[in-house]
């Protein structure tokens, strides 16, 4: 016979997994459906399904920042399929939720929410398509999630410091740092106008304002950034995630990093952290070779981090700190 306490812990763990995965719009195959099937078969009750519904589609966060219409429709259809297969009585709330979604128009944008250890959520308006308007900067990528988790484990790298983020994208890493690590000032930056527009919206969406939170969103063209601009920012820490993906961009990036390290107004060079998902080993090796040619060494900081966000942990992700 199963220990009631262990049973409750398992149930709470599954509910938490469903909530985190649902709001981050994870692939449906990654959800713990087997647990539901066994629970329905054992108890012949829809109580767990109703609890899951309350933690997902009926949760206040979903009312405010809903995942995509298609994702919610597929998710609810999966719940219904499991419940019907177990022969349980129909759950009105489940069918009502599906009816509401079916009657909602699809859009090119949706919200993804990433739950923080504090219980707060970072909610981001992202594009449904991975590539949109000629850029990949309108969605959150894995290295950004890893770097955010690393930051949560290393508050001291950001607390009381001025932080510059290169290629901020939709803002996940920077917003997490602002909400959890108490930087003195945080400068989000990008160069693509559609990304900057969405980035500003997401920063405001999460309650960060330039006046009250000492944050700013800046257009920073890597090819045109002057030493004066870099000195004015005066960053103690510089971060970037998933910016090493194209050989042409890598060359421009290394020149910018050289400039940042060369013209710092601080007696001590800023800490520079670059986090990458290694999709093309040749491109990534080229990045390291260009760093070496520019007289910039690096050390690998990649380590196990406290898991907070859902993403593919089998992906090859590397975090390096630049050393001059």
């Amino acid at each position: 016979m199963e220990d009631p306490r262990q049973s409750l812990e398992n149930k709470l763990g599954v509910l938490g997994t469903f909530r985190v995965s649902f709001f981050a719009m994870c692939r449906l195959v990654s959800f713990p459906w087997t647990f539901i099937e066994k629970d329905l078969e054992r108890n012949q009750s829809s109580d767990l399904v109703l609890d899951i519904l309350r933690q997902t589609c009926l949760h206040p966060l979903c009312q405010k920042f809903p995942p995509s219409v298609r994702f919610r429709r597929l998710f609810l259809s999966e719940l219904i399929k499991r419940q019907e297969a177990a022969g349980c009585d129909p759950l009105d709330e489940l069918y009502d939720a599906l009816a509401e979604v079916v009657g909602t128009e699809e859009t090119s944008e949706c919200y993804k929410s990433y739950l923080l250890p504090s219980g707060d959520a970072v909610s981001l308006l992202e594009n449904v398509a991975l590539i949109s308007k000629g850029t990949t900067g309108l969605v959150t990528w894995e290295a950004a999630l890893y770097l955010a988790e690393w930051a949560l484990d290393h508050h001291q790298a950001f607390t009381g410091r001025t932080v510059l983020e290169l290629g901020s994208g939709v803002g996940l890493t920077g917003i997490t740092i602002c909400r959890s690590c108490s930087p003195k000032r945080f400068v989000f930056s990008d160069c693509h106008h559609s990304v900057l527009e969405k980035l500003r919206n997401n920063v405001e969406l999460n309650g960060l304002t330039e006046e009250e939170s000492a944050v700013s969103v800046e257009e920073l063209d890597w090819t045109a950034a002057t030493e004066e601009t870099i000195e004015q920012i005066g960053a103690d820490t510089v971060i970037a995630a998933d910016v090493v993906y194209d050989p042409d961009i890598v060359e421009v990036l290394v020149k910018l990093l050289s400039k940042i390290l060369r013209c710092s107004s601080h007696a001590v060079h800023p800490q520079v952290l670059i986090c990458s998902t290694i999709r093309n080993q040749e491109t990534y090796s080229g990045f390291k070779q260009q760093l070496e040619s520019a007289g910039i060494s690096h050390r690998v900081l990649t380590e196990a981090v406290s898991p907070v966000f859902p993403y593919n942990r089998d992906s090859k992700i590397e975090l390096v700190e630049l050393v001059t």
Side-chain angles (χ1 to χ4, degrees), residues 30 56 59:
S30 69
T56 54
H59 194 282

Side-chain angles (χ1 to χ4, degrees), residues 7-28:
S7 178
L8 178 60
E9 288 179 0
N10 290 342
K11 179 182 176 181
L12 291 175
V14 167
L15 287 174
T17 299
F18 265 90
R19 182 176 64 249
V20 167
S21 301
F22 174 82
F23 284 110
M25 284 179 55
C26 295
R27 295 172 67 232
L28 289 178

Side-chain angles (χ1 to χ4, degrees), residues 218-285:
E218 309 285 349
E219 180 176 359
L220 187 64
D221 184 337
W222 296 355
T223 61
T226 64
E227 294 189 2
E228 182 182 7
T229 299
I230 294 168
E231 288 175 353
Q232 284 177 348
I233 293 173
D236 304 297
T237 303
V238 178
I239 62 172
D242 262 327
V243 294
V244 180
Y245 57 87
D246 181 284
D248 294 333
I249 292 176
V250 164
E251 183 178 353
V252 175
L253 172 62
V254 170
K255 288 180 179 178
L256 175 65
L257 294 173
S258 298
K259 195 176 293 185
I260 288 172
L261 291 168
R262 185 174 66 249
C263 71
S264 171
S265 58
H266 295 62
V268 180
H269 290 305
Q271 183 178 28
V272 180
L273 304 168
I274 310 294
C275 191
S276 307
T277 306
I278 304 173
R279 300 181 182 88
N280 184 308
Q281 185 62 55
E282 185 178 350
T283 299
Y284 192 66
S285 297

